[in-house]
């Protein structure tokens, strides 16, 4: 595909090679997280050691047919790199359309074959695709014919069986032959819960069977657990989801410890980023991230107060009054220069929208099931301490 690129695209394989030569030996990756892997949070993660970011999972059908969905679901800047856009798509046309639309603004695209939520599986997204390996191969082969050979095309998958890694190995090898640049593997099956043990041995066996890079995902809650997963699997990259939500400095070499919650200076960074983002950062997203990062440090009375806030200024006053933390003036006076994304370079093949496909599934402007469970867990706790249990977020 020959379209004008909005910024120089980065060779993702070169990023893997560069990080492999570093002392820690692996690429530090933040997972694609529905609602949460947006530009502003990516800026925070990049400041603290993450070398490869994904967008949130974007519903391809909505992205293809709605300009409003494109503007709501994807924002970027010229410094937002390297970046992989992840899509939930159920066929080659959907994935190809969305990939070619977003092509000028990212360094690669990723097919979500790992979302275990029932609504996604029912619509043929996420783990639902694992039941149709021939379809997945067709999707990758189709997009590989339509984009530059150096443009990254990847997939996020789960184990196909908890009894043997053979089927997953065979599937991964087929994806490699179809032209996948790299794979991300969550070490559980679609039927397992996040409380179930991670199958580390299976991840290692899949890694050993491939020539392309493999990113290992699951149970990464601190720098120590990231290093342990690397040592056990020798994966080319280590991906964190819930771990970086709770502690965005998890991959920062200056904070190499066992902490699973954010330090106060990370809160300072988030307030600065919010200041430069202005109205581009919605209240719910701003509030949720602070809940994940700092909620466990709040006594129950303060926690309940914090959960009643409905305006950004209330949050800013709260952190200044209680912790003497506020956004620095330089960020207030220098708004972030967002890229003006337009999509006139490509006309999707499907003209008729099919937005009812995702009606009633999830809405980025609402709390969402997992945040509500996390909030309820904190509000209902009589203890001063809490942890980010397996209930509040499903790793995608």
């Amino acid at each position: 595909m020959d379209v004008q690129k909005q910024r120089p695209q980065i060779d993702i394989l070169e990023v893997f090679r560069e990080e492999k030569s570093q002392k820690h030996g692996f690429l530090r990756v933040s997972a694609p997280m529905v609602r949460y892997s947006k530009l502003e949070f990516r800026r925070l993660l990049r400041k603290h050691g993450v070398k490869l970011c994904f967008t949130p999972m974007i519903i391809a059908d909505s992205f293809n047919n709605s300009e409003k969905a494109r503007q709501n679901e994807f924002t970027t800047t010229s410094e937002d790199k390297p970046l992989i856009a992840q899509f939930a798509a159920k066929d080659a046309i959907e994935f190809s359309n969305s990939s070619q639309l977003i092509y000028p603004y990212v360094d690669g695209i990723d097919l979500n074959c790992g979302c275990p939520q029932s609504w996604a599986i029912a619509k043929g997204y996420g783990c639902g695709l694992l039941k149709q390996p021939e379809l997945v191969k067709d999707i990758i082969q189709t997009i590989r014919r339509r984009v530059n050979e150096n443009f990254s095309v990847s997939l996020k998958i789960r184990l196909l069986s908890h009894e043997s890694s053979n089927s997953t190995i065979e599937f991964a090898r087929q994806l490699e032959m179809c032209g996948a640049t790299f794979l991300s593997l969550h070490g559980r099956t679609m039927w397992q819960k996040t409380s179930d043990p991670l199958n580390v041995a299976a991840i290692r066996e899949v890694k050993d069977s491939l020539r392309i890079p493999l990113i290992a995902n699951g149970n990464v809650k601190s720098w120590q657990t990231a290093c342990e997963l690397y040592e056990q699997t020798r994966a080319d990259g280590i991906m964190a989801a819930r771990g970086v939500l709770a502690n965005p400095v998890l991959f920062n070499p200056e904070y190499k410890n066992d902490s699973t919650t954010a330090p106060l200076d990370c809160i300072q960074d988030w307030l600065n980023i919010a200041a430069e983002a202005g109205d581009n950062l919605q209240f719910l997203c701003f509030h949720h991230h602070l809940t994940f990062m700092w909620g466990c440090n709040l006594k129950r009375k303060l926690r309940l107060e914090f959960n009643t806030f409905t305006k950004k200024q209330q949050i800013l006053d709260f952190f200044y009054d209680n912790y003497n933390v506020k956004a620095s003036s330089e960020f207030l006076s220098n708004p972030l220069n967002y890229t003006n994304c337009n999509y006139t370079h490509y006309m999707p093949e499907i003209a008729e929208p099919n937005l009812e496909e995702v009606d009633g599934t999830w809405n980025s402007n609402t709390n969402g099931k997992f945040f509500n469970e996390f909030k309820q867990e904190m509000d209902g706790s009589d203890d001063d301490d809490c942890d980010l249990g397996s209930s509040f977020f499903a790793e995608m």
Side-chain angles (χ1 to χ4, degrees):
M1 178 171 55
D2 185 19
V3 300
Q4 183 178 0
K5 299 172 184 176
Q6 300 302 306
R7 58 167 176 75
Q9 286 174 329
I10 293 176
D11 184 342
I12 297 299
L13 290 179
E14 183 59 32
V15 177
F16 275 103
R17 286 190 287 267
E18 289 177 0
E19 289 303 301
K20 191 175 184 63
S21 67
Q22 301 301 312
K23 184 177 180 180
H24 47 265
F26 59 87
L27 181 64
R28 293 163 284 177
V29 186
S30 65
M33 294 174 283
V34 173
R35 297 182 179 88
Y36 300 122
S37 301
K38 296 194 173 183
L39 169 64
E40 294 78 19
F41 190 57
R42 297 197 297 267
R43 289 178 65 79
L44 180 63
L45 295 176
R46 294 187 196 282
K47 177 179 174 62
H48 289 291
V50 169
K51 296 299 183 179
L52 178 62
C53 288
F54 285 74
T55 68
M57 182 184 73
I58 302 170
I59 305 297
D61 183 58
S62 295
F63 195 82
N64 295 339
N65 292 290
S66 169
E67 178 64 22
K68 181 178 179 180
R70 294 169 199 161
Q71 299 303 327
N72 286 343
E73 296 304 317
F74 178 74
T75 54
T76 190
T77 67
S78 58
E79 296 82 25
D80 184 26
K81 56 187 178 182
L83 178 63
I84 305 290
Q86 189 191 70
F87 289 101
K90 59 181 180 295
D91 59 49
I93 296 299
E94 278 191 358
F95 189 63
S96 178
N97 283 341
S98 53
S99 298
Q100 292 180 89
L101 280 167
I102 210 168
Y103 175 83
Y105 306 104
V106 297
D107 304 292
I109 40 89
D110 188 86
L111 178 64
N112 186 309
C113 299
C115 180
Q117 297 185 51
S118 57
W119 70 263
I121 295 173
K123 300 296 184 183
Y125 299 129
C127 285
L129 287 172
L130 296 179
K131 300 177 181 179
Q132 305 180 73
E134 293 302 320
L135 173 60
V136 176
K137 290 191 290 182
D138 178 60
I139 292 174
I140 300 307
Q141 289 173 326
T142 299
I143 191 60
R144 186 39 87 198
R145 291 193 297 266
R146 298 187 180 190
V147 296
N148 186 290
E149 63 180 5
N150 294 323
F151 189 69
S152 181
V153 176
S154 58
L155 305 92
K156 191 167 191 296
I157 65 174
R158 285 181 169 245
L159 296 174
L160 301 184
S161 169
H162 64 272
E163 298 175 350
S164 169
S165 61
N166 291 340
S167 58
T168 309
I169 289 173
E170 178 60 26
F171 183 51
R173 284 175 170 171
Q174 291 174 359
L175 296 176
E176 179 181 62
M177 289 188 290
C178 289
T181 306
F182 70 89
L183 300 177
S184 302
L185 175 61
H186 184 100
R188 297 183 180 91
T189 68
M190 60 184 290
W191 303 280
Q192 291 180 293
K193 300 178 181 179
T194 54
S195 57
D196 293 331
L198 194 72
N199 194 334
V200 175
I203 298 176
R204 177 61 183 260
E205 290 168 359
V206 175
K207 158 60 187 170
D208 290 343
S209 73
L210 297 173
R211 291 173 293 179
I212 59 175
L214 181 76
I215 297 174
N217 174 223
N219 288 5
V220 177
K221 299 179 180 179
S222 66
W223 174 255
Q224 180 177 342
T225 56
C227 292
E228 288 173 355
L229 186 58
Y230 169 67
E231 293 297 331
Q232 292 168 336
T233 65
R234 308 308 292 183
D236 303 277
I238 299 298
M239 175 184 284
R242 288 178 293 164
V244 291
L245 274 181
N247 183 21
V249 308
L250 186 155
F251 285 123
N252 189 332
E254 296 180 8
Y255 294 89
K256 287 184 181 178
N257 53 48
D258 298 336
S259 176
T260 57
T261 57
L264 191 58
D265 56 352
C266 182
I267 303 299
Q268 172 75 73
D269 291 333
W270 183 235
L271 298 184
N272 289 340
I273 289 171
E276 65 178 3
D279 292 338
N280 291 289
L281 178 59
Q282 296 180 353
F283 170 81
L284 278 181
C285 188
F286 178 52
H287 183 270
H288 283 193
H289 278 297
L290 287 168
T291 302
F292 293 135
M293 287 189 270
W294 199 249
C296 293
N297 295 307
L298 297 176
K299 302 284 187 182
R300 191 168 189 270
K301 182 179 178 181
L302 287 178
R303 198 157 64 227
L304 293 175
E305 177 189 355
F306 188 78
N307 288 340
T308 66
F309 294 158
T310 58
K311 298 179 181 178
K312 284 186 182 178
Q313 190 59 50
Q314 292 174 298
I315 295 176
L316 299 177
D317 293 341
F318 176 87
F319 276 97
Y320 183 69
D321 292 342
N322 289 283
Y323 305 102
N324 197 32
V325 175
K326 63 179 181 178
S328 301
S329 58
E330 61 182 288
F331 293 93
L332 289 166
S333 58
N334 291 287
L336 184 61
N337 185 22
Y338 286 75
T339 298
N340 180 22
C341 297
N342 72 74
Y343 301 92
T344 57
H345 62 275
Y346 178 73
M347 181 64 67
E349 296 177 27
I350 300 175
E352 293 297 325
N354 192 22
L355 299 182
E356 66 270 17
E357 280 292 319
V358 295
D359 183 44
T361 54
W362 64 274
N363 185 328
S364 62
N365 295 320
T366 61
N367 275 347
K369 170 186 175 183
F370 301 107
F371 179 84
N372 285 335
E373 290 180 353
F374 173 60
K375 178 173 170 288
Q376 185 178 29
E377 179 180 319
M378 289 198 302
D379 292 349
S381 174
D382 292 328
D383 298 327
D384 288 335
D385 298 323
C386 64
D387 59 33
L388 299 179
S390 61
S391 63
F392 88 96
F393 190 79
E395 290 192 73
M396 303 286 288

